[in-house]
Amino acid sequence: MRRFLSALLLAIAFAAIAQTPPAIEGPVYVATYLELVPAGISEGSALLKQYRDAGRKDAGNLRMELVQEAGRASRFALLAVWADQKAFDAHGKAAHTTQFRDKLKAVHAAPYDERVHSGMAVAAKDAPRGAAVVVVTHVDVPPPFKDTTVPMLQQLAEASRKDAGNKRFEALQQANRPNHFTVVEAWADRKAYESHVLADHTRQFRDKLGPMSGALYDERLFKAVN
């Protein structure tokens, strides 16, 4: 019994270490998913806007965007970029960040889900506006397929930036789970996005990724919140 308990405690300790994101060299890319209770959408969206605007004023913030899921008004995502780990850590300790997370508890329907990444295939682009379609996709492969997936995503990003109507295409690698990735796209409109979905390089990527996927290809469409 003692051996079992020791093994269990050791496993828990290693799991805790694995969940702790290592320090990132260079810019820090953060995708945060938020879901509000239906009755709290108005209050929650106002709270999210205030937090976004305050975050943009923090030292080292390079981007802080708020997007709302198409057809799911209760779901949002915050897409942020910080100059370095120090700036990101300072933001996490800021008074307005703590206050935001405390107030969010009254209207959220699910836990605050923050994913921290390094930039794997990124390029500077303007913020999405108006009719732009923002796409955020979580890509999950088992660890043995990580090194195969990285160049595939890099190639997809490079090819997709050349597609008509592309405003942004970034592939990010999660810090504490390097076999998990987030792809952030922005398209001028729905037509541009749909044309990209049918492009040869997109379909070839999906065909190759399919047999390696560790979970459903979680692609969500959003609109920018001004």
Side-chain angles (χ1 to χ4, degrees), residues 103-123:
K103 292 179 180 178
L104 184 68
K105 293 175 183 177
V107 292
H108 78 180
Y112 186 86
D113 188 353
E114 183 179 78
R115 309 291 178 94
V116 182
H117 311 76
S118 59
M120 196 178 70
V122 299

Side-chain angles (χ1 to χ4, degrees), residues 31-167:
T32 304
Y33 300 89
L34 308 105
E35 184 172 356
L36 308 177
V37 295
I41 293 175
S42 179
E43 179 183 350
S45 59
L47 185 61
L48 286 165
K49 290 178 185 179
Q50 291 172 6
Y51 173 63
R52 174 202 60 192
D53 295 344
R56 286 173 173 171
K57 298 175 184 177
D58 285 347
N61 179 259
L62 304 179
R63 180 194 305 164
M64 192 78 160
E65 297 168 352
L66 176 63
V67 294
Q68 185 175 28
E69 190 169 342
R72 297 291 296 271
S74 61
R75 288 185 177 183
F76 294 81
L78 281 162
L79 306 174
V81 185
W82 301 91
D84 50 33
Q85 187 74 44
K86 182 180 179 181
F88 172 59
D89 291 344
H91 166 75
K93 298 175 183 177
H96 64 81
T97 300
T98 301
Q99 291 168 5
F100 162 72
R101 291 177 179 174
D102 285 343
K103 292 179 180 178
L104 184 68
K105 293 175 183 177
V107 292
H108 78 180
Y112 186 86
D113 188 353
E114 183 179 78
R115 309 291 178 94
V116 182
H117 311 76
S118 59
M120 196 178 70
V122 299
K125 289 281 187 176
D126 294 335
R129 300 180 185 280
V133 175
V134 179
V135 186
V136 183
T137 306
H138 178 70
V139 178
D140 173 357
V141 297
F145 294 120
K146 171 180 70 69
D147 291 339
T148 303
T149 305
V150 167
M152 287 172 53
L153 283 168
Q154 291 171 333
Q155 291 168 11
L156 177 67
E158 183 177 351
S160 299
R161 289 188 196 117
K162 300 174 184 177
D163 288 346
N166 179 256
K167 299 297 182 181

